[in-house]
Amino acid sequence: MDFYHVNLAAFVLINGSMAYRQYRQERRTELSEKLQEYETENLINGDGDEHAPESNSAATFNHLFFPVYILVWAADWFQGPFIYTLYKDQKKLPEEIVARLFTTGFLAGAISAMFVGSLADRYGRRLACLACCAITALSCLTVLSDTVAVLFVGRALGGLGTTLMYTVFEAWMVTEYNQRGLDETSLKLSTVFGRMVTLSSIVAVFAGLAGQLFVNATGSTCAPFMASICCLVPAFFLIWKNWSENFGDSGLVDKQVLTLGLTSCCFEGSMYLFIFFWSPALKSSHKLAHQAGILPFGIIFACFMGAMMLGSILFTKVMSSPTKWLTCRDLLQTVVTLGSISLLSTIFFRGEWLTFWSFCIFEACVGMYFPSMGYQKGKVIDDGNRAHLYGLLRIPYNLFVVIALSLTKEVVATLIQVRRGRNNDDKSHRREVMDCEMDLKPKDGIGKAVTPRRRLPTLRNGLH
């Protein structure tokens, strides 16, 4: 086994062991709480039957939310790795058109973030979740067309669906959690967010592998999008049948929301740029080490998902600790700081293994960041305007990504000079920039299932 396979095996073993231990601990806590409630009810009423439905409320909530969550996020993970190769390789579209398609998705997401949340608060979060499933499925159907105008409509719908997915589902979940009074049970809100990220990491790996199998079997990159629809349809009917509606009102706005918005903009924007840059950065380190062969990008991506899952498990462990030695706010501050250090370290340490491990640390920070941020938003933002503010928090993030990507060439040039540790003359400098940009371009025969790296040249060339 080579270096990356060893790391993947280590992540599988560590995550599997910690997840099992966490499950056993949660089951013991849940059973202990149920027994205590049963005994208390018997002492008061002489009969514990009346309290049974209330003791099962946490389990009911889990059965309502998590199957839908898994299906919706699986639908998203099916699409992501194949969008670029669908437009460029199968549809044979020019780079400029592909760039405009991606830009359309970003702009649609930013614009829709201004109003979809308030509409969800007014007309119902359950209805907005149903709309998200329908809009995303319609966006997937548009990839069957070769008409450019239809593809642009599809990207606009995709941007709208993404904004809905990242706002209304979480808004519905937190409000439903609060309305059921589950904070008084063994199921804490921090545990719910930790499970969400853990499940997302697992689904990402399986969706990527299954998507590639579908492409290989059908010979078409449209297949994963059809698989996405197959996930969205049952999610739609589960929401329609089982979910109750919850609404918003005027609500109060805590001053801490501004701090959360700034943190979200910077960290999540950096995370999105990392999705574009990790592959060429590792390839650059691979070349500097004079290593032969092609990097196993699929295995590396699986390692990153394993690191993110490990981060989410650590978050749940820290937050469920009886000693409460670290608050969620303190953990969020630590995660943001550690994530920044891990990315900065790749500039000064050029070794391939050190770069990889720094990226794994960052992914572990991502795994802790999302449940930490979700928990903080759940506590700070009022249920009355939850979806509206969740939507507004995505506007600066989208603008951050667009502006940052527009500076990609300048970033590449600076990165080359810092990593080389010397100043280049203009001719050699331009040559290295061109070489680095060639590394960013997709190559045939390198696992199309791992294509965050394949989206970078599209966005880079289209935003100048």
Side-chain angles (χ1 to χ4, degrees):
M1 297 177 69
D2 65 12
F3 171 76
Y4 294 107
H5 285 84
V6 170
N7 277 272
L8 178 59
F11 277 122
V12 170
L13 291 175
I14 294 172
N15 285 332
S17 174
M18 294 187 66
Y20 178 73
R21 292 180 61 183
Q22 178 179 306
Y23 171 77
R24 291 289 301 274
Q25 179 63 37
E26 289 176 357
R27 287 294 297 167
R28 283 196 294 266
T29 303
E30 183 179 347
L31 291 174
S32 176
E33 184 177 275
K34 284 183 177 181
L35 180 61
Q36 184 178 359
E37 290 176 351
Y38 180 79
E39 292 174 347
T40 303
E41 190 68 17
N42 277 336
L43 288 173
I44 296 176
N45 299 328
D47 184 8
D49 292 339
E50 295 180 1
H51 197 72
E54 183 177 341
S55 64
N56 291 327
S57 59
T60 302
F61 174 83
N62 285 332
H63 294 154
L64 285 176
F65 177 69
F66 282 110
V68 172
Y69 177 84
I70 291 172
L71 288 169
V72 172
W73 257 251
D76 183 59
W77 281 113
F78 268 123
Q79 299 174 58
F82 300 95
I83 296 177
Y84 178 85
T85 189
L86 171 76
Y87 292 148
K88 182 62 179 175
D89 299 332
Q90 182 161 323
K91 303 294 184 183
K92 305 297 183 183
L93 297 176
E95 285 284 344
E96 293 77 10
I97 299 298
V98 179
R100 291 170 187 170
L101 284 166
F102 274 95
T103 304
T104 299
F106 277 112
L107 292 177
I111 294 171
S112 61
M114 300 178 185
F115 60 85
V116 295
S118 58
L119 291 178
D121 287 336
R122 181 176 180 182
Y123 296 103
R125 284 79 175 261
R126 170 181 172 272
L127 180 61
C129 292
L130 291 171
C132 175
C133 294
I135 290 171
T136 306
L138 186 59
S139 171
C140 292
L141 282 175
T142 61
V143 304
L144 298 175
S145 173
D146 292 328
T147 305
V148 175
V150 175
L151 296 178
F152 270 101
V153 172
R155 287 313 307 149
L157 291 173
L160 173 59
T162 299
T163 297
L164 284 168
M165 186 180 72
Y166 279 94
T167 54
V168 295
F169 282 93
E170 187 175 321
W172 181 90
M173 182 275 292
V174 176
T175 302
E176 186 72 12
Y177 178 94
N178 291 332
Q179 289 179 352
R180 289 174 177 264
L182 296 180
D183 198 42
E184 302 300 323
T185 69
S186 60
L187 182 65
K188 303 304 179 184
L189 188 60
S190 59
T191 303
V192 176
F193 280 111
R195 288 178 183 174
M196 288 167 63
V197 178
T198 300
L199 290 171
S200 177
S201 304
I202 297 172
V203 168
V205 176
F206 281 99
L209 294 174
Q212 188 60 49
L213 290 176
F214 295 151
V215 171
N216 294 340
T218 62
S220 171
T221 47
C222 292
F225 293 85
M226 301 304 103
S228 179
I229 295 176
C230 292
C231 293
L232 291 167
V233 170
F236 181 95
F237 284 106
L238 285 174
I239 295 170
W240 179 272
K241 181 180 179 181
N242 299 326
W243 284 21
S244 60
E245 187 63 274
N246 59 53
F247 299 89
D249 49 41
S250 58
L252 299 175
V253 179
D254 195 296
K255 291 185 292 185
Q256 297 180 63
V257 173
L258 181 61
T259 303
L260 293 178
L262 181 61
T263 304
S264 173
C265 170
C266 295
F267 190 90
E268 294 180 32
S270 300
M271 179 201 69
Y272 210 94
L273 293 177
F274 170 80
I275 292 174
F276 297 137
F277 282 109
W278 71 261
S279 175
L282 273 178
K283 193 170 182 179
S284 174
S285 297
H286 191 70
K287 284 187 175 181
L288 288 173
H290 303 291
Q291 297 290 330
I294 297 173
L295 287 171
F297 288 106
I299 300 299
I300 295 172
F301 176 76
C303 288
F304 289 163
M305 293 299 100
M308 188 168 76
M309 180 179 175
L310 178 60
S312 66
I313 294 175
L314 289 174
F315 166 83
T316 303
K317 189 173 183 62
V318 170
M319 294 304 297
S320 60
S321 173
T323 58
K324 303 294 182 183
W325 59 278
L326 192 64
T327 66
C328 187
R329 185 177 63 179
D330 294 336
L331 180 60
L332 184 59
Q333 292 174 339
T334 303
V335 164
V336 172
T337 303
L338 182 60
S340 302
I341 294 173
S342 67
L343 291 183
L344 284 172
S345 66
T346 61
I347 298 176
F348 304 104
F349 301 103
R350 295 174 291 177
E352 180 182 346
W353 291 6
L354 291 176
T355 300
F356 169 77
W357 282 328
S358 295
F359 288 167
C360 285
I361 293 173
F362 178 75
E363 284 287 355
C365 291
V366 171
M368 288 185 282
Y369 165 82
F370 275 110
S372 301
M373 176 59 73
Y375 179 80
Q376 284 296 109
K377 291 192 295 186
K379 292 298 183 181
V380 171
I381 298 177
D382 188 80
D383 284 340
N385 54 4
R386 185 173 300 280
H388 175 58
L389 289 178
Y390 279 14
L392 292 181
L393 289 176
R394 289 188 61 82
I395 296 176
Y397 151 75
N398 279 282
L399 295 177
F400 177 93
V401 172
V402 172
I403 294 172
L405 287 174
S406 69
L407 304 174
T408 297
K409 286 184 179 179
E410 287 77 4
V411 171
V412 168
T414 304
L415 180 63
I416 288 172
Q417 287 197 12
V418 173
R419 288 178 71 87
R420 289 293 187 184
R422 58 183 172 85
N423 294 322
N424 298 313
D425 57 74
D426 291 341
K427 184 181 294 185
S428 62
H429 175 74
R430 286 195 299 269
R431 184 170 59 253
E432 290 198 7
V433 171
M434 291 175 64
D435 290 342
C436 187
E437 288 179 348
M438 288 301 296
D439 287 343
L440 298 176
K441 287 183 177 293
K443 305 292 191 302
D444 293 334
I446 304 183
K448 291 182 180 179
V450 187
T451 48
R453 60 184 291 270
R454 298 177 66 88
R455 285 178 277 174
L456 175 61
T458 305
L459 294 168
R460 184 193 70 236
N461 295 336
L463 293 174
H464 287 288

